[in-house]
Coordinates of all heavy atoms in Angstrom, one line a residue:
V67 N -11.6 -14.6 3.9 CA -11.3 -13.6 4.9 C -10.3 -12.6 4.5 O -9.6 -12.8 3.5 CB -10.6 -14.3 6.1 CG1 -11.6 -15.3 6.8 CG2 -9.4 -15.2 5.7
Q68 N -10.4 -11.3 5.1 CA -9.5 -10.3 4.7 C -8.2 -10.4 5.5 O -8.1 -10.5 6.7 CB -10.2 -8.9 5.1 CG -9.3 -7.7 4.6 CD -10.1 -6.4 4.8 OE1 -11.0 -6.4 5.5 NE2 -9.7 -5.4 4.1
G69 N -7.1 -10.4 4.8 CA -5.7 -10.4 5.4 C -5.1 -9.0 5.5 O -5.9 -8.0 5.6
A70 N -3.8 -8.9 5.2 CA -3.1 -7.6 5.5 C -3.6 -6.6 4.4 O -3.7 -6.9 3.3 CB -1.6 -7.9 5.3
V71 N -3.7 -5.4 5.0 CA -4.2 -4.3 4.2 C -3.0 -3.5 3.7 O -3.1 -2.8 2.6 CB -5.0 -3.3 5.1 CG1 -5.3 -2.0 4.5 CG2 -6.2 -4.0 5.7
L72 N -1.8 -3.7 4.3 CA -0.6 -3.1 3.8 C 0.6 -4.1 4.0 O 0.5 -5.0 4.7 CB -0.2 -1.8 4.7 CG -1.2 -0.7 4.7 CD1 -0.9 0.4 5.7 CD2 -1.1 0.0 3.3
P73 N 1.6 -3.9 3.2 CA 2.8 -4.6 3.3 C 3.5 -4.5 4.7 O 3.1 -3.5 5.4 CB 3.8 -4.1 2.2 CG 2.9 -3.4 1.2 CD 1.8 -2.9 2.0
L74 N 4.4 -5.3 5.1 CA 5.0 -5.2 6.4 C 5.7 -3.9 6.6 O 5.5 -3.2 7.7 CB 6.0 -6.3 6.6 CG 5.5 -7.7 6.6 CD1 6.6 -8.7 6.9 CD2 4.3 -8.0 7.6
L75 N 6.5 -3.5 5.7 CA 7.2 -2.2 5.9 C 7.0 -1.2 4.7 O 7.0 0.0 4.9 CB 8.7 -2.5 5.9 CG 9.3 -3.3 7.1 CD1 10.8 -3.4 7.0 CD2 8.9 -2.5 8.4
R76 N 6.8 -1.7 3.5 CA 6.7 -0.9 2.2 C 5.3 -0.3 2.1 O 4.4 -0.7 2.7 CB 7.1 -1.7 1.1 CG 8.3 -2.5 1.2 CD 9.6 -1.8 1.3 NE 10.7 -2.6 1.6 CZ 11.9 -2.5 0.9 NH1 12.1 -1.6 0.1 NH2 12.9 -3.3 1.3
E77 N 5.3 0.7 1.2 CA 4.0 1.4 0.9 C 3.3 0.4 -0.2 O 4.0 -0.2 -1.0 CB 4.2 2.8 0.2 CG 4.8 3.8 1.1 CD 3.9 4.0 2.3 OE1 2.7 4.1 2.1 OE2 4.4 3.9 3.5
I78 N 2.0 0.4 -0.2 CA 1.3 -0.4 -1.3 C 1.3 0.4 -2.6 O 1.2 1.6 -2.6 CB -0.2 -0.6 -0.8 CG1 -0.9 -1.5 -1.9 CG2 -0.9 0.6 -0.5 CD1 -2.2 -1.9 -1.5
V79 N 1.7 -0.4 -3.6 CA 1.7 0.2 -5.0 C 0.8 -0.6 -5.9 O 1.3 -1.6 -6.6 CB 3.1 0.3 -5.5 CG1 3.1 0.9 -6.9 CG2 4.1 1.0 -4.6
P80 N -0.5 -0.4 -5.9 CA -1.4 -1.2 -6.7 C -1.0 -1.2 -8.2 O -0.4 -0.3 -8.7 CB -2.8 -0.6 -6.6 CG -2.7 0.2 -5.3 CD -1.3 0.6 -5.2
A81 N -1.3 -2.4 -8.9 CA -0.9 -2.5 -10.3 C -2.2 -2.3 -11.1 O -2.6 -3.1 -11.9 CB -0.4 -3.9 -10.5
G82 N -2.8 -1.0 -11.0 CA -4.0 -0.7 -11.8 C -3.7 -0.8 -13.3 O -4.6 -1.1 -14.0
D83 N -2.5 -0.5 -13.7 CA -2.2 -0.5 -15.1 C -2.3 -1.9 -15.7 O -2.6 -2.1 -16.9 CB -0.8 0.1 -15.4 CG 0.3 -0.6 -14.6 OD1 0.0 -1.3 -13.5 OD2 1.5 -0.6 -15.0
I84 N -2.1 -2.9 -14.9 CA -2.1 -4.3 -15.4 C -3.5 -5.0 -15.1 O -4.0 -5.8 -15.9 CB -1.0 -5.2 -14.7 CG1 0.3 -4.5 -14.8 CG2 -1.0 -6.6 -15.3 CD1 1.0 -4.4 -16.1
H85 N -4.1 -4.7 -14.0 CA -5.3 -5.4 -13.6 C -6.6 -4.5 -13.6 O -7.6 -5.0 -13.3 CB -5.2 -6.0 -12.2 CG -4.1 -7.1 -12.2 ND1 -4.4 -8.5 -12.4 CD2 -2.8 -7.0 -12.0 CE1 -3.2 -9.2 -12.3 NE2 -2.3 -8.3 -12.2
G86 N -6.4 -3.2 -13.9 CA -7.5 -2.2 -13.9 C -7.9 -1.7 -12.5 O -7.4 -2.2 -11.5
K87 N -8.8 -0.7 -12.5 CA -9.1 -0.1 -11.3 C -9.8 -1.1 -10.3 O -9.6 -1.0 -9.2 CB -10.0 1.2 -11.6 CG -10.3 2.1 -10.4 CD -10.8 3.4 -11.0 CE -11.1 4.4 -9.8 NZ -12.3 3.9 -9.0
S88 N -10.6 -1.9 -10.9 CA -11.4 -2.9 -10.1 C -10.5 -4.1 -9.6 O -10.8 -4.7 -8.6 CB -12.6 -3.4 -10.8 OG -12.1 -4.3 -11.8
G89 N -9.5 -4.3 -10.4 CA -8.6 -5.4 -10.2 C -9.0 -6.6 -11.1 O -8.2 -7.6 -11.2
L90 N -10.1 -6.6 -11.8 CA -10.5 -7.6 -12.7 C -10.7 -7.1 -14.1 O -11.6 -7.6 -14.9 CB -11.8 -8.3 -12.2 CG -11.7 -9.0 -10.8 CD1 -13.0 -9.6 -10.4 CD2 -10.6 -10.1 -10.9
G91 N -9.9 -6.2 -14.5 CA -9.8 -5.7 -15.9 C -11.2 -5.1 -16.3 O -11.7 -4.3 -15.5
Y92 N -11.7 -5.5 -17.4 CA -13.0 -4.9 -18.0 C -14.2 -5.6 -17.4 O -15.4 -5.3 -17.7 CB -13.0 -5.0 -19.5 CG -11.9 -4.3 -20.2 CD1 -11.1 -4.8 -21.1 CD2 -11.8 -2.9 -20.0 CE1 -10.1 -4.1 -21.8 CE2 -10.8 -2.1 -20.7 CZ -10.0 -2.8 -21.6 OH -9.0 -2.0 -22.2
C93 N -13.9 -6.6 -16.5 CA -15.1 -7.5 -16.1 C -15.8 -6.9 -14.9 O -15.2 -6.4 -13.9 CB -14.6 -8.8 -15.7 SG -15.9 -10.0 -15.1
E94 N -17.1 -6.8 -15.0 CA -17.9 -6.2 -13.9 C -18.7 -7.4 -13.3 O -19.7 -7.9 -13.9 CB -18.9 -5.1 -14.3 CG -18.2 -4.0 -15.0 CD -17.7 -3.0 -13.9 OE1 -18.2 -3.0 -12.8 OE2 -16.7 -2.3 -14.2
L95 N -18.3 -8.1 -12.2 CA -19.0 -9.2 -11.6 C -20.2 -8.6 -10.8 O -20.2 -7.6 -10.3 CB -18.1 -10.0 -10.7 CG -17.0 -10.8 -11.5 CD1 -16.2 -11.6 -10.4 CD2 -17.6 -11.7 -12.5
P96 N -21.3 -9.5 -10.8 CA -22.4 -9.1 -10.0 C -22.1 -8.8 -8.5 O -21.2 -9.5 -8.0 CB -23.5 -10.2 -10.1 CG -23.0 -11.0 -11.2 CD -21.5 -10.7 -11.3
S97 N -22.8 -7.9 -7.8 CA -22.5 -7.6 -6.4 C -23.0 -8.9 -5.6 O -23.9 -9.5 -6.2 CB -23.3 -6.4 -5.9 OG -22.9 -5.3 -6.7
V98 N -22.5 -9.1 -4.4 CA -22.9 -10.3 -3.7 C -23.2 -9.8 -2.2 O -22.7 -8.9 -1.8 CB -21.9 -11.3 -3.7 CG1 -21.6 -11.9 -5.1 CG2 -20.5 -10.9 -3.1
E99 N -24.0 -10.6 -1.6 CA -24.3 -10.5 -0.1 C -23.2 -11.0 0.7 O -23.0 -10.6 1.9 CB -25.6 -11.2 0.2 CG -26.9 -10.7 -0.4 CD -27.2 -9.3 -0.1 OE1 -27.2 -9.0 1.2 OE2 -27.4 -8.5 -1.0
K100 N -22.5 -11.9 0.3 CA -21.5 -12.7 1.0 C -20.5 -11.7 1.6 O -20.0 -10.7 1.0 CB -20.6 -13.6 0.1 CG -19.6 -14.5 0.8 CD -19.0 -15.6 -0.1 CE -18.0 -16.4 0.6 NZ -17.4 -17.4 -0.2
K101 N -20.1 -12.0 2.9 CA -19.2 -11.2 3.7 C -18.0 -11.9 4.1 O -18.1 -13.2 4.1 CB -19.9 -10.6 4.9 CG -21.1 -9.7 4.6 CD -20.7 -8.3 4.1 CE -21.9 -7.5 3.8 NZ -22.2 -7.3 2.4
P102 N -16.9 -11.3 4.5 CA -15.8 -12.2 5.0 C -16.2 -13.0 6.3 O -17.1 -12.5 7.0 CB -14.8 -11.0 5.4 CG -15.1 -9.9 4.5 CD -16.6 -9.9 4.3
A103 N -15.6 -14.1 6.4 CA -16.0 -15.1 7.4 C -15.6 -14.7 8.8 O -16.0 -15.3 9.8 CB -15.5 -16.5 7.1
A104 N -14.6 -13.8 8.9 CA -14.1 -13.5 10.3 C -13.5 -12.1 10.3 O -13.2 -11.6 9.2 CB -13.1 -14.5 10.6
E105 N -13.4 -11.6 11.5 CA -12.7 -10.3 11.7 C -11.3 -10.3 11.2 O -10.9 -9.4 10.5 CB -12.8 -9.9 13.2 CG -14.0 -9.1 13.5 CD -14.3 -7.9 12.7 OE1 -13.5 -7.0 12.8 OE2 -15.3 -7.9 12.0
N106 N -10.5 -11.3 11.7 CA -9.1 -11.3 11.4 C -8.7 -12.5 10.6 O -8.9 -13.7 11.1 CB -8.4 -11.3 12.8 CG -6.9 -11.3 12.6 OD1 -6.3 -12.1 11.9 ND2 -6.2 -10.3 13.3
G107 N -8.2 -12.3 9.4 CA -7.9 -13.3 8.5 C -6.8 -14.2 8.9 O -6.8 -15.4 8.7
I108 N -5.8 -13.6 9.6 CA -4.7 -14.5 10.0 C -5.0 -15.4 11.2 O -4.7 -16.6 11.1 CB -3.5 -13.6 10.4 CG1 -3.2 -12.4 9.5 CG2 -2.2 -14.4 10.7 CD1 -2.8 -12.8 8.1
L109 N -5.8 -14.9 12.0 CA -6.4 -15.8 13.1 C -7.2 -16.9 12.6 O -7.1 -18.1 12.9 CB -7.2 -15.0 14.1 CG -6.5 -14.3 15.3 CD1 -7.5 -13.4 16.0 CD2 -5.9 -15.3 16.3
F110 N -8.0 -16.6 11.6 CA -8.9 -17.6 11.0 C -8.1 -18.6 10.3 O -8.4 -19.8 10.4 CB -9.9 -16.9 10.0 CG -10.9 -17.8 9.4 CD1 -12.2 -17.9 10.0 CD2 -10.8 -18.6 8.3 CE1 -13.2 -18.7 9.4 CE2 -11.7 -19.5 7.8 CZ -12.9 -19.5 8.4
L111 N -7.0 -18.2 9.6 CA -6.2 -19.2 8.9 C -5.4 -20.0 9.9 O -5.4 -21.3 9.8 CB -5.1 -18.4 8.0 CG -4.0 -19.2 7.3 CD1 -4.6 -20.4 6.6 CD2 -3.2 -18.3 6.4
R112 N -4.9 -19.4 11.0 CA -4.3 -20.2 12.1 C -5.3 -21.3 12.6 O -4.9 -22.5 12.7 CB -3.9 -19.3 13.2 CG -3.1 -19.9 14.4 CD -3.8 -20.5 15.5 NE -5.0 -19.8 16.1 CZ -4.9 -19.0 17.2 NH1 -3.7 -19.0 17.8 NH2 -5.9 -18.4 17.7
D113 N -6.5 -20.8 13.0 CA -7.5 -21.8 13.5 C -7.8 -22.9 12.5 O -8.0 -24.0 12.9 CB -8.7 -21.0 13.9 CG -8.5 -20.1 15.1 OD1 -7.4 -20.2 15.7 OD2 -9.3 -19.2 15.3
T114 N -7.8 -22.6 11.2 CA -8.2 -23.6 10.2 C -7.1 -24.6 10.1 O -7.4 -25.8 10.0 CB -8.5 -22.9 8.9 OG1 -9.4 -21.8 9.0 CG2 -8.9 -23.9 7.7
I115 N -5.9 -24.1 10.1 CA -4.7 -25.1 10.0 C -4.7 -26.0 11.2 O -4.7 -27.2 11.1 CB -3.4 -24.3 9.8 CG1 -3.4 -23.6 8.5 CG2 -2.2 -25.3 9.9 CD1 -2.2 -22.7 8.3
L116 N -4.8 -25.5 12.4 CA -4.7 -26.2 13.6 C -6.0 -27.1 13.9 O -5.9 -28.0 14.6 CB -4.4 -25.3 14.9 CG -3.1 -24.5 14.8 CD1 -3.0 -23.7 16.1 CD2 -1.9 -25.4 14.6
G117 N -7.0 -26.7 13.2 CA -8.3 -27.4 13.3 C -8.4 -28.6 12.4 O -9.4 -29.3 12.3
L118 N -7.4 -28.8 11.5 CA -7.4 -29.9 10.6 C -7.5 -31.2 11.4 O -6.9 -31.3 12.4 CB -6.3 -29.9 9.6 CG -6.2 -28.9 8.5 CD1 -4.9 -28.9 7.8 CD2 -7.4 -29.1 7.5
P119 N -8.1 -32.3 10.8 CA -8.1 -33.6 11.5 C -6.7 -34.0 11.8 O -5.8 -33.7 11.0 CB -8.8 -34.5 10.5 CG -9.6 -33.7 9.6 CD -8.9 -32.4 9.5
E120 N -6.5 -34.8 12.9 CA -5.2 -35.3 13.3 C -4.6 -36.0 12.1 O -5.2 -36.7 11.3 CB -5.5 -36.4 14.4 CG -4.3 -37.0 15.0 CD -3.7 -36.0 16.0 OE1 -4.4 -35.1 16.5 OE2 -2.5 -36.0 16.2
G121 N -3.3 -35.7 11.9 CA -2.5 -36.2 10.8 C -2.7 -35.6 9.4 O -1.9 -35.9 8.5
E122 N -3.6 -34.6 9.3 CA -3.6 -33.9 8.1 C -2.9 -32.6 8.1 O -2.7 -32.0 9.1 CB -5.2 -33.6 7.8 CG -6.0 -34.9 7.5 CD -7.3 -34.6 6.8 OE1 -7.5 -33.4 6.2 OE2 -8.2 -35.5 6.8
K123 N -2.4 -32.2 6.9 CA -1.7 -30.9 6.8 C -2.3 -30.0 5.8 O -3.2 -30.5 4.9 CB -0.2 -31.3 6.5 CG 0.6 -32.0 7.6 CD 2.0 -31.9 7.4 CE 2.7 -32.6 8.6 NZ 4.2 -32.5 8.4
M124 N -1.8 -28.8 5.7 CA -2.3 -27.8 4.7 C -1.2 -27.4 3.7 O 0.0 -27.3 4.1 CB -2.7 -26.5 5.5 CG -3.4 -25.5 4.6 SD -5.0 -25.9 4.3 CE -5.8 -25.3 5.8
T125 N -1.7 -27.3 2.5 CA -0.8 -26.7 1.5 C -1.2 -25.3 1.3 O -2.4 -25.0 1.0 CB -0.9 -27.5 0.1 OG1 -0.5 -28.8 0.4 CG2 0.0 -26.8 -1.0
L126 N -0.3 -24.4 1.5 CA -0.6 -22.9 1.3 C -0.3 -22.5 -0.2 O 0.7 -23.0 -0.8 CB 0.3 -22.1 2.2 CG 0.1 -22.3 3.7 CD1 1.0 -21.4 4.5 CD2 -1.4 -22.0 4.1
V127 N -1.2 -21.8 -0.8 CA -1.1 -21.4 -2.2 C -1.2 -19.9 -2.3 O -2.3 -19.4 -2.7 CB -2.2 -22.2 -3.1 CG1 -1.9 -21.9 -4.6 CG2 -2.2 -23.7 -2.8

Side-chain angles (χ1 to χ4, degrees):
V67 291
Q68 183 175 19
V71 172
L72 292 172
L74 295 185
L75 293 181
R76 313 291 175 137
E77 293 302 315
I78 180 171
V79 182
D83 55 336
I84 310 289
H85 296 265
K87 191 162 177 290
S88 72
L90 294 179
Y92 296 123
C93 179
E94 298 281 336
L95 290 180
S97 302
V98 296
E99 294 297 312
K100 185 175 178 177
K101 299 285 182 256
E105 271 305 296
N106 182 307
I108 312 299
L109 270 174
F110 188 95
L111 174 52
R112 185 276 310 259
D113 293 346
T114 304
I115 294 173
L116 298 183
L118 287 172
E120 186 73 27
E122 291 194 21
K123 293 193 175 187
M124 185 74 81
T125 298
L126 299 178
V127 186

